[in-house]
Amino acid sequence: MKFRSLAIAVLASLAFSAHARYMGPGAVAIPASAATADTRMLGKVVQAIVAPDDSLVMLEGHIIQQQRLRSGNAPDKFYTFKDDTGSVTVEIKPKAMPAQKFDHKTPVRLFGEVDHGRYGAKIDVKRIEIVKS
């Protein structure tokens, strides 16, 4: 009985944990939490944009801007990510955001998968980590 009460308390506290926001150029506040880790990775944007669909990637660099869509006023989940080899559009759902606030100057590590569509490659981000300097 005690274990069950403890488990319920832990799960409830996880549901109400605080989440961070991207605070750089074009920022629209979107709360989020971490997702699951990936096992097979590539390391650079230049590699990711030519990788096959559904390839797992880990990229280190900066989210330099939040993109705006022309449809409605809802917060957008598309950003521009840049590393030393280039830039790519990334789609970040709220649950993938880290717990800390960050901006375009904050180094981050993205975990996700490649998605090729009508407008080229993008990365569907599953988790973001803040890189400690």
Side-chain angles (χ1 to χ4, degrees), residues 37-111:
D38 297 322
T39 55
R40 179 176 43 106
M41 314 274 174
L42 298 173
K44 299 290 182 181
V45 167
V46 70
Q47 296 169 306
I49 60 177
V50 297
D53 263 353
D54 302 324
S55 294
L56 299 177
V57 296
M58 178 187 69
L59 303 172
E60 286 190 15
H62 298 85
I63 296 173
I64 60 171
Q65 184 173 6
Q66 185 167 15
Q67 300 174 6
R68 302 257 192 247
L69 298 179
R70 294 189 174 107
S71 60
N73 296 327
D76 299 327
K77 55 188 174 184
F78 294 94
Y79 299 80
T80 302
F81 174 84
K82 184 176 185 344
D83 69 7
D84 58 348
T85 67
S87 62
V88 65
T89 296
V90 295
E91 180 178 359
I92 306 172
K93 294 181 177 79
K95 67 182 180 178
M97 287 289 187
Q100 307 93 328
K101 291 183 179 181
F102 67 102
D103 65 17
H104 61 289
K105 297 176 187 174
T106 308
V108 295
R109 184 176 299 122
L110 305 182
F111 298 86

